[in-house]
Amino acid sequence: MLEDRTTAAPWPAAYPSGYAVVDVETTGLARDDRIVSAAVYQLDAQGEVEDHWYTLVNPERDPGPVWIHGLTTDVLEGAPLFPEIAEEFSARLEGRVLVAHNAVFDWSMIAREYARARRTAPVRQRLCTIALAKELRLPLPNHKLESLAAHFGVVQQRAHHALDDARVLAEAFRPSLRAAAGDGVRLPLLECRPLTEWQDSPAAPHIGRQGSYRPGGWRPNRKRPACPYPNPGRYEADKPLKQGMRVAFSGDTSIERELLEDRAIEAGLHVATSVSRLTSLLVTNDPDAGTSKVVKAKSYGTPVLDEAAFGQLLRDVAPATGT
């Protein structure tokens, strides 16, 4: 059990009154993928555990990466459908800030499930523990959950099991929250916007494929559409990204690379496979690495941002000039 330091300063009045630490396991990362299990740890204002909850969910399709989450078709066959657990899920989320590691992914999957069920998740704000770790300047080697857990001495028992991942995150979030309160750090809260459209997935299993995951790769030979916007040039610090900017990625990312690239494309950015003088920005969590992309970016003077900062900028990309 972790021993959290008690903050000497008064607890910030502007902080939320409660949190719902969430983890979901899914059939994949695409828009039509589904949740196969979900867990929620309810925390009070100071991060103390009040309750926890876990459920399997029948995705009505192939379970996807069984080698990751361990949930087979046989295990999920008798599980409830998402509409059948939506009310209980809502009761766990109601009036709380949703907390997750790479929160945009968990929120997107949850919001889509609620939209398919013709409901709206009772969540108004989310907090990403990756962004919070950056605000606290934690000395992490990367932004993976296991690194955050190790920093706070939290022991992982069953990686990629929603209940244990949620527990690990809850135990790592508590000291993070108290450190933020003690230092007067403003929490990186983002708005959760419910979906107004949905696309129903086929009820039949997708024979011959495992959702959007494949061993050793993810949607191979996938051709991306051309960016419709002209390149506005280099990214400038303290200014928003602009549609048409050419973005390259280098090294490991806590968000699956293809999902991160999808988000960039959806925001109107051009994802480049290499770095050139026309590249607007390089995203990397290891700017000191000697990869060819990092070396070229430095030689060209191309701006470099880490994944968390890039994720924050993605939520408000400026429209292309003339649009």
mmCIF file of all heavy atoms in Angstrom, residues 9 23 45-46 65 68-69 75 77 91 98 120 125 147 153 171 175 192 208 217 244 264 271 282 286 294 318 322:
data_model
loop_
_atom_site.group_PDB
_atom_site.id
_atom_site.type_symbol
_atom_site.label_atom_id
_atom_site.label_comp_id
_atom_site.label_asym_id
_atom_site.label_seq_id
_atom_site.Cartn_x
_atom_site.Cartn_y
_atom_site.Cartn_z
ATOM 1 N N ALA A 9 -0.340 22.633 2.243
ATOM 2 C CA ALA A 9 -1.192 23.730 1.810
ATOM 3 C C ALA A 9 -2.653 23.299 1.824
ATOM 4 O O ALA A 9 -2.964 22.111 1.726
ATOM 5 C CB ALA A 9 -0.789 24.173 0.404
ATOM 6 N N ASP A 23 -10.791 2.225 -16.861
ATOM 7 C CA ASP A 23 -10.015 1.518 -17.878
ATOM 8 C C ASP A 23 -10.964 0.628 -18.659
ATOM 9 O O ASP A 23 -11.848 -0.022 -18.070
ATOM 10 C CB ASP A 23 -8.909 0.661 -17.263
ATOM 11 C CG ASP A 23 -8.024 0.043 -18.342
ATOM 12 O OD1 ASP A 23 -7.172 0.765 -18.888
ATOM 13 O OD2 ASP A 23 -8.200 -1.153 -18.642
ATOM 14 N N ALA A 45 -12.513 13.476 -3.281
ATOM 15 C CA ALA A 45 -11.787 14.663 -3.711
ATOM 16 C C ALA A 45 -10.289 14.564 -3.490
ATOM 17 O O ALA A 45 -9.489 15.149 -4.243
ATOM 18 C CB ALA A 45 -12.333 15.896 -2.987
ATOM 19 N N GLN A 46 -9.859 13.826 -2.463
ATOM 20 C CA GLN A 46 -8.435 13.681 -2.156
ATOM 21 C C GLN A 46 -7.816 12.424 -2.778
ATOM 22 O O GLN A 46 -6.657 12.104 -2.517
ATOM 23 C CB GLN A 46 -8.214 13.648 -0.637
ATOM 24 C CG GLN A 46 -8.335 15.021 0.021
ATOM 25 C CD GLN A 46 -9.775 15.467 0.157
ATOM 26 O OE1 GLN A 46 -10.670 14.657 0.441
ATOM 27 N NE2 GLN A 46 -10.019 16.758 -0.048
ATOM 28 N N PRO A 65 -7.866 -8.627 -29.967
ATOM 29 C CA PRO A 65 -6.542 -9.094 -29.510
ATOM 30 C C PRO A 65 -6.609 -9.922 -28.230
ATOM 31 O O PRO A 65 -6.248 -9.457 -27.149
ATOM 32 C CB PRO A 65 -5.779 -7.797 -29.283
ATOM 33 C CG PRO A 65 -6.843 -6.835 -28.865
ATOM 34 C CD PRO A 65 -8.057 -7.201 -29.683
ATOM 35 N N ILE A 68 -3.788 -10.065 -25.897
ATOM 36 C CA ILE A 68 -3.547 -8.910 -25.025
ATOM 37 C C ILE A 68 -4.471 -8.952 -23.812
ATOM 38 O O ILE A 68 -4.018 -8.955 -22.667
ATOM 39 C CB ILE A 68 -3.726 -7.585 -25.795
ATOM 40 C CG1 ILE A 68 -2.649 -7.450 -26.888
ATOM 41 C CG2 ILE A 68 -3.656 -6.387 -24.839
ATOM 42 C CD1 ILE A 68 -2.774 -6.186 -27.717
ATOM 43 N N HIS A 69 -5.794 -8.973 -24.052
ATOM 44 C CA HIS A 69 -6.734 -8.880 -22.921
ATOM 45 C C HIS A 69 -7.196 -10.230 -22.397
ATOM 46 O O HIS A 69 -7.799 -10.301 -21.323
ATOM 47 C CB HIS A 69 -7.943 -8.004 -23.284
ATOM 48 C CG HIS A 69 -8.666 -8.405 -24.538
ATOM 49 N ND1 HIS A 69 -9.221 -9.640 -24.713
ATOM 50 C CD2 HIS A 69 -8.934 -7.704 -25.676
ATOM 51 C CE1 HIS A 69 -9.822 -9.695 -25.894
ATOM 52 N NE2 HIS A 69 -9.645 -8.542 -26.509
ATOM 53 N N VAL A 75 -15.705 -16.756 -23.394
ATOM 54 C CA VAL A 75 -15.819 -16.010 -22.138
ATOM 55 C C VAL A 75 -16.848 -14.893 -22.260
ATOM 56 O O VAL A 75 -17.636 -14.635 -21.343
ATOM 57 C CB VAL A 75 -14.450 -15.427 -21.736
ATOM 58 C CG1 VAL A 75 -14.595 -14.456 -20.563
ATOM 59 C CG2 VAL A 75 -13.473 -16.545 -21.380
ATOM 60 N N GLU A 77 -19.364 -14.634 -24.475
ATOM 61 C CA GLU A 77 -20.662 -15.005 -25.044
ATOM 62 C C GLU A 77 -21.816 -14.737 -24.092
ATOM 63 O O GLU A 77 -22.882 -14.254 -24.491
ATOM 64 C CB GLU A 77 -20.642 -16.481 -25.455
ATOM 65 C CG GLU A 77 -21.908 -16.929 -26.159
ATOM 66 C CD GLU A 77 -21.828 -18.375 -26.619
ATOM 67 O OE1 GLU A 77 -20.827 -19.055 -26.272
ATOM 68 O OE2 GLU A 77 -22.751 -18.827 -27.318
ATOM 69 N N ALA A 91 -24.041 5.322 -13.277
ATOM 70 C CA ALA A 91 -24.081 5.579 -11.835
ATOM 71 C C ALA A 91 -22.673 5.711 -11.264
ATOM 72 O O ALA A 91 -22.452 6.456 -10.299
ATOM 73 C CB ALA A 91 -24.835 4.451 -11.129
ATOM 74 N N LEU A 98 -13.754 11.999 -15.209
ATOM 75 C CA LEU A 98 -13.224 10.735 -15.705
ATOM 76 C C LEU A 98 -11.709 10.824 -15.780
ATOM 77 O O LEU A 98 -11.160 11.748 -16.377
ATOM 78 C CB LEU A 98 -13.811 10.432 -17.090
ATOM 79 C CG LEU A 98 -13.445 9.092 -17.739
ATOM 80 C CD1 LEU A 98 -14.588 8.602 -18.616
ATOM 81 C CD2 LEU A 98 -12.164 9.194 -18.568
ATOM 82 N N THR A 120 -26.371 9.114 -23.446
ATOM 83 C CA THR A 120 -25.243 10.031 -23.287
ATOM 84 C C THR A 120 -24.553 9.739 -21.962
ATOM 85 O O THR A 120 -25.213 9.653 -20.916
ATOM 86 C CB THR A 120 -25.714 11.498 -23.290
ATOM 87 O OG1 THR A 120 -26.361 11.774 -24.539
ATOM 88 C CG2 THR A 120 -24.533 12.453 -23.134
ATOM 89 N N GLN A 125 -16.120 16.269 -17.807
ATOM 90 C CA GLN A 125 -14.690 16.560 -17.902
ATOM 91 C C GLN A 125 -13.876 15.276 -17.754
ATOM 92 O O GLN A 125 -14.320 14.321 -17.116
ATOM 93 C CB GLN A 125 -14.258 17.550 -16.807
ATOM 94 C CG GLN A 125 -14.784 18.973 -16.987
ATOM 95 C CD GLN A 125 -14.284 19.874 -15.885
ATOM 96 O OE1 GLN A 125 -14.426 19.575 -14.692
ATOM 97 N NE2 GLN A 125 -13.695 21.005 -16.251
ATOM 98 N N SER A 147 5.390 2.652 -16.314
ATOM 99 C CA SER A 147 6.421 3.590 -15.848
ATOM 100 C C SER A 147 5.873 4.492 -14.751
ATOM 101 O O SER A 147 6.553 4.770 -13.756
ATOM 102 C CB SER A 147 6.934 4.429 -17.021
ATOM 103 O OG SER A 147 7.577 3.609 -17.980
ATOM 104 N N GLY A 153 5.778 3.190 -6.974
ATOM 105 C CA GLY A 153 5.871 1.928 -6.247
ATOM 106 C C GLY A 153 4.615 1.089 -6.282
ATOM 107 O O GLY A 153 4.384 0.261 -5.393
ATOM 108 N N GLU A 171 -4.103 4.038 -7.768
ATOM 109 C CA GLU A 171 -3.051 4.148 -6.752
ATOM 110 C C GLU A 171 -1.949 5.107 -7.182
ATOM 111 O O GLU A 171 -1.312 5.739 -6.331
ATOM 112 C CB GLU A 171 -2.474 2.764 -6.453
ATOM 113 C CG GLU A 171 -3.440 1.845 -5.730
ATOM 114 C CD GLU A 171 -2.758 0.585 -5.199
ATOM 115 O OE1 GLU A 171 -1.531 0.622 -4.978
ATOM 116 O OE2 GLU A 171 -3.451 -0.425 -5.010
ATOM 117 N N PRO A 175 -1.234 9.862 -5.318
ATOM 118 C CA PRO A 175 -0.087 10.713 -4.988
ATOM 119 C C PRO A 175 0.157 11.806 -6.021
ATOM 120 O O PRO A 175 0.657 12.881 -5.679
ATOM 121 C CB PRO A 175 1.090 9.728 -4.936
ATOM 122 C CG PRO A 175 0.646 8.551 -5.713
ATOM 123 C CD PRO A 175 -0.824 8.448 -5.511
ATOM 124 N N CYS A 192 -15.517 16.855 -22.033
ATOM 125 C CA CYS A 192 -15.977 15.630 -22.680
ATOM 126 C C CYS A 192 -17.237 15.951 -23.477
ATOM 127 O O CYS A 192 -18.286 16.250 -22.894
ATOM 128 C CB CYS A 192 -16.288 14.548 -21.643
ATOM 129 S SG CYS A 192 -14.834 13.802 -20.898
ATOM 130 N N GLY A 208 -11.917 -14.266 -39.738
ATOM 131 C CA GLY A 208 -10.653 -14.149 -40.444
ATOM 132 C C GLY A 208 -9.822 -12.957 -40.066
ATOM 133 O O GLY A 208 -8.743 -12.756 -40.609
ATOM 134 N N GLY A 217 1.697 -5.798 -35.834
ATOM 135 C CA GLY A 217 1.360 -4.662 -36.688
ATOM 136 C C GLY A 217 -0.076 -4.252 -36.487
ATOM 137 O O GLY A 217 -0.830 -4.860 -35.742
ATOM 138 N N GLY A 244 -3.231 21.466 -42.193
ATOM 139 C CA GLY A 244 -2.277 21.427 -43.289
ATOM 140 C C GLY A 244 -0.843 21.247 -42.838
ATOM 141 O O GLY A 244 0.026 20.945 -43.659
ATOM 142 N N ALA A 264 -4.534 12.928 -35.753
ATOM 143 C CA ALA A 264 -3.915 14.055 -36.439
ATOM 144 C C ALA A 264 -4.577 14.294 -37.790
ATOM 145 O O ALA A 264 -4.862 15.441 -38.166
ATOM 146 C CB ALA A 264 -2.422 13.804 -36.614
ATOM 147 N N VAL A 271 0.160 13.778 -42.061
ATOM 148 C CA VAL A 271 1.107 12.901 -41.383
ATOM 149 C C VAL A 271 2.190 12.502 -42.373
ATOM 150 O O VAL A 271 1.912 11.871 -43.397
ATOM 151 C CB VAL A 271 0.409 11.653 -40.812
ATOM 152 C CG1 VAL A 271 1.435 10.660 -40.282
ATOM 153 C CG2 VAL A 271 -0.547 12.057 -39.692
ATOM 154 N N LEU A 282 7.973 17.740 -35.380
ATOM 155 C CA LEU A 282 8.301 16.349 -35.069
ATOM 156 C C LEU A 282 7.792 16.048 -33.663
ATOM 157 O O LEU A 282 8.065 16.789 -32.726
ATOM 158 C CB LEU A 282 9.805 16.097 -35.135
ATOM 159 C CG LEU A 282 10.242 14.682 -34.711
ATOM 160 C CD1 LEU A 282 9.747 13.643 -35.714
ATOM 161 C CD2 LEU A 282 11.763 14.606 -34.567
ATOM 162 N N ASP A 286 11.410 11.137 -26.954
ATOM 163 C CA ASP A 286 12.830 11.025 -26.665
ATOM 164 C C ASP A 286 13.618 11.930 -27.610
ATOM 165 O O ASP A 286 14.203 11.464 -28.593
ATOM 166 C CB ASP A 286 13.288 9.568 -26.796
ATOM 167 C CG ASP A 286 14.708 9.350 -26.290
ATOM 168 O OD1 ASP A 286 15.313 10.316 -25.761
ATOM 169 O OD2 ASP A 286 15.215 8.229 -26.428
ATOM 170 N N VAL A 294 14.997 12.415 -35.701
ATOM 171 C CA VAL A 294 15.424 13.410 -34.718
ATOM 172 C C VAL A 294 16.649 14.166 -35.216
ATOM 173 O O VAL A 294 16.732 15.394 -35.094
ATOM 174 C CB VAL A 294 15.720 12.731 -33.362
ATOM 175 C CG1 VAL A 294 16.380 13.715 -32.401
ATOM 176 C CG2 VAL A 294 14.441 12.182 -32.741
ATOM 177 N N ALA A 318 -6.318 25.072 -35.383
ATOM 178 C CA ALA A 318 -6.864 26.222 -36.112
ATOM 179 C C ALA A 318 -7.177 25.842 -37.555
ATOM 180 O O ALA A 318 -6.466 25.035 -38.163
ATOM 181 C CB ALA A 318 -5.865 27.384 -36.076
ATOM 182 N N GLY A 322 -8.137 30.695 -45.113
ATOM 183 C CA GLY A 322 -9.095 30.775 -46.217
ATOM 184 C C GLY A 322 -10.272 29.851 -46.080
ATOM 185 O O GLY A 322 -11.169 29.851 -46.928
#
